[in-house]
Amino acid sequence: MTAKKLIAANWKMNGSKALVDTMAQQLTNLPSGVDVLLCPPATLLQYFPANRQYALGAQNISEHDAGAYTGELSSNLIIEAGANFVLIGHSERRQYFAETDTLVCAKMQQAVKAGLTPVLCIGETLAEHQQQKTQQVIAKQLAAVYAAQPELLLKSVIAYEPVWAIGTGESATPEQAQAIHAFIRQQISDYNSVAAATVKILYGGSVNAANCRALFAKADIDGALVGGASLKPAEFMQICQSAKD
Ligand code: PEP
């Protein structure tokens, strides 16, 4: 329940150098009352201006330091490219690249060891949602991280992303999201009350300029992880502006 909201953009495998230029231009006058993080494809990180009011992040990280891991990006490479954050455990990585909780935890440890802030993505699938297993799934995902290394939760941002809401246009209602965010904060509090008070818990899943205000009004929603709408510079700026109040 921190004062300043964090709005994070996940461009996924989208964007271009031209979009970097347009977005950088659009974000020249960000309000000071909001923190902003852009996670474009890693090859685009180098094109953002050095003088900027927002942070940069990668979308994935290798669990290894360096070596014969073709196609992977180490923490050092990510840092050299200008990023301070990294998305870890996005549902698309869990679904399409078979990322397990064990691998997610190894990546979290690798990121924190290097001084990167992980944005840990958690959330239930549609089937789990329908079977009312949301709390069970989230508790398990958080417990895995705590078991791997208790301090990780102190050094992370959490993104609650119900998988059924990602890219579907069907956002969780503010009430649904608030209930789960409060549950997440309670779980973290059981591990570490300091972490629970300071951790930022973002909501992700079809956030746009029209629905973000009602989400941001909820006590335990500390910002958003935005996919599709983060590719539209004017709309993304509107979302950032809505979060400053
Ligand atoms: C995401 O990819 O993290 C996401 C939340 O996507 P969208 O906003 O498009 O649902």
Side-chain angles (χ1 to χ4, degrees):
M1 230 174 306
T2 45
K4 219 172 179 184
K5 294 208 180 340
L6 171 63
I7 307 301
N10 175 15
W11 284 12
K12 313 191 189 200
M13 199 171 71
N14 297 301
S16 58
K17 188 174 179 309
L19 183 62
V20 171
D21 293 342
T22 322
M23 187 64 78
Q25 185 60 36
Q26 182 74 61
L27 299 184
T28 44
N29 283 316
L30 273 173
S32 58
V34 61
D35 288 326
V36 174
L37 163 65
L38 300 187
C39 302
T43 53
L44 296 179
L45 287 166
Q46 62 184 309
Y47 298 123
F48 283 90
N51 181 15
R52 55 177 185 260
Q53 296 166 267
Y54 45 88
L56 296 177
Q59 298 175 11
N60 184 29
I61 185 172
S62 169
E63 71 275 29
H64 302 288
D65 287 332
Y69 301 103
T70 302
E72 291 290 277
L73 285 179
S74 69
S75 53
N76 285 343
L77 291 169
I78 290 169
I79 290 167
E80 272 192 359
N84 300 108
F85 289 75
V86 58
L87 304 181
I88 298 184
H90 191 280
S91 64
E92 289 152 16
R93 303 273 339 154
R94 293 181 192 257
Q95 185 181 349
Y96 303 131
F97 302 95
E99 291 199 3
T100 59
D101 280 339
T102 306
L103 182 55
V104 165
C105 292
K107 291 181 176 210
M108 297 273 298
Q109 286 178 290
Q110 193 68 11
V112 167
K113 187 174 80 174
L116 287 163
T117 300
V119 180
L120 169 67
C121 301
I122 57 175
E124 81 285 7
T125 63
L126 179 61
E128 290 161 344
H129 175 66
Q130 287 167 339
Q131 292 159 26
Q132 303 188 332
K133 287 189 177 156
T134 300
Q135 294 194 352
Q136 201 180 314
V137 169
I138 283 167
K140 181 171 165 287
Q141 289 171 330
L142 288 173
V145 175
Y146 183 76
Q149 195 181 325
E151 308 76 60
L152 292 177
L153 291 173
L154 256 180
K155 297 183 173 164
S156 303
V157 170
I158 309 284
Y160 168 55
E161 299 207 300
V163 180
W164 49 269
I166 296 180
T168 59
E170 189 197 343
S171 171
T173 65
E175 292 69 30
Q176 278 175 319
Q178 165 58 27
I180 302 304
H181 280 228
F183 174 76
I184 292 169
R185 205 178 295 282
Q186 182 55 53
Q187 289 289 297
I188 296 176
S189 171
D190 291 347
Y191 296 133
N192 183 320
S193 57
V194 176
T198 55
V199 69
K200 280 192 158 101
I201 307 176
L202 313 184
Y203 168 76
S206 296
V207 172
N208 58 40
N211 64 18
C212 64
R213 253 178 211 284
L215 288 159
F216 297 155
K218 294 296 180 190
D220 289 292
I221 299 183
D222 301 318
L225 178 53
V226 186
S230 75
L231 295 167
K232 302 171 190 160
E235 180 166 9
F236 185 66
M237 183 62 162
Q238 268 182 286
I239 296 171
C240 296
Q241 279 166 337
S242 302
K244 77 174 192 306
D245 307 325

